[in-house]
């Protein structure tokens, strides 16, 4: 596969085993690579065919079109494939431009926004987040670790609004319109 423009002119020579549509200025393509364990290499290329990133693991690449962001091998990148977060972190997109992270270098976790700004930091090494749906763009989230803590936070300020006094007795569930 390759790419042509609307006039039928080849702009990127056909050499890929798989080629996706461009999302923003970049796309994910697949090439055979006999030396990799999977037999393939995955590349993010620009509209001129320049390689911006390559890896042998396709499951490590995700694109968030609403914000023109990429998660590549657990690093958050902007639309120009510039890193926003550091390595040694696990990044997971939740919703509404918010991500959970687990920082392996200091065993903390938390929430970042789509610019990489830390909204909420937690002194636990694991995190799960459930964001309420809101028509006011004031988002709140229930955050829990996998053991014994859960809180409700404001995603605007990062402040804890409620701390569950007994997770074995009480379960917090997020509903729409900021109701828990």
């Amino acid at each position: 596969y390759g790419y042509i423009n609307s006039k039928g002119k080849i702009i990127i020579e056909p050499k890929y085993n798989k080629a996706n549509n461009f999302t923003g200025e970049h796309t994910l393509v697949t090439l055979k690579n006999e030396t990799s364990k999977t037999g393939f290499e995955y590349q993010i290329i620009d509209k001129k065919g320049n390689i911006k990133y390559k890896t042998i693991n396709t499951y490590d690449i995700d694109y968030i079109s609403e914000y023109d962001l990429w998660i590549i091998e657990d690093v958050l990148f902007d639309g120009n494939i510039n890193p926003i977060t550091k390595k040694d972190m696990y990044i997971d997109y939740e919703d509404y431009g918010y991500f959970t992270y687990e920082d392996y270098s200091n065993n903390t976790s938390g929430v970042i926004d789509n610019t990489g700004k830390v909204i909420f930091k937690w002194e636990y090494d694991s995190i799960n987040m459930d964001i309420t749906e809101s028509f006011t763009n004031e988002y709140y989230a229930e955050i829990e670790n996998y053991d014994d803590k859960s809180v409700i936070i404001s995603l605007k300020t990062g402040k804890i609004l409620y701390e569950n006094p007994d997770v074995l007795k009480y379960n917090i569930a997020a509903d729409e319109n900021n109701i828990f």
Side-chain angles (χ1 to χ4, degrees):
Y1 295 93
Y3 294 89
I4 61 172
N5 65 17
S6 60
K7 295 178 179 156
K9 181 182 176 193
I10 294 175
I11 56 173
I12 300 175
E13 290 291 328
K15 61 182 176 182
Y16 305 106
N17 295 84
K18 184 176 179 186
N20 294 299
N21 293 331
F22 275 86
T23 49
E25 294 298 311
H26 300 91
T27 190
L28 179 64
V29 294
T30 305
L31 285 167
K32 277 196 184 253
N33 180 336
E34 302 300 329
T35 62
S36 80
K37 291 178 183 178
T38 63
F40 294 99
E41 178 178 287
Y42 305 93
Q43 299 177 352
I44 296 173
I45 62 169
D46 64 18
K47 290 184 177 179
K48 294 180 180 178
N50 298 316
I51 300 168
K52 299 303 231 170
Y53 200 95
K54 63 182 175 179
T55 181
I56 58 170
N57 298 317
T58 187
Y59 59 85
D60 283 341
I61 300 174
D62 193 17
Y63 181 70
I64 297 95
S65 60
E66 307 97 301
Y67 302 99
D68 191 25
L69 296 171
W70 295 82
I71 299 175
I72 308 167
E73 298 182 302
D74 292 333
V75 177
L76 183 61
F77 289 84
D78 67 16
N80 293 317
I81 319 300
N82 297 311
I84 294 173
T85 60
K86 63 181 183 168
K87 291 186 183 233
D88 297 327
M89 292 177 76
Y90 171 75
I91 303 290
D92 191 24
Y93 181 61
E94 297 296 333
D95 215 346
Y96 308 109
Y98 294 99
F99 301 77
T100 55
Y101 73 86
E102 294 177 23
D103 189 337
Y104 303 131
S105 66
N106 61 16
N107 292 326
T108 60
S109 58
V111 178
I112 60 173
D113 67 11
N114 58 11
T115 67
K117 177 184 171 193
V118 175
I119 302 298
F120 178 73
K121 186 175 181 181
W122 214 4
E123 301 301 320
Y124 296 96
D125 63 357
S126 61
I127 190 169
N128 186 30
M129 179 166 73
D130 190 10
I131 301 174
T132 63
E133 293 184 31
S134 171
F135 299 111
T136 65
N137 291 330
E138 289 285 327
Y139 296 106
Y140 299 89
E142 185 249 338
I143 306 231
E144 64 183 359
N145 70 354
Y146 298 112
D147 297 323
D148 60 355
K149 289 282 188 184
S150 71
V151 296
I152 298 172
I153 67 163
S154 162
L155 289 171
K156 183 177 184 179
T157 65
K159 301 242 186 272
I160 295 175
L161 305 174
Y162 177 79
E163 188 167 345
N164 189 345
D166 186 346
V167 295
L168 297 176
K169 188 174 181 180
Y170 303 109
N171 180 34
I172 298 174
D175 200 356
E176 59 185 46
N177 293 321
N178 301 321
I179 303 293
F180 293 88

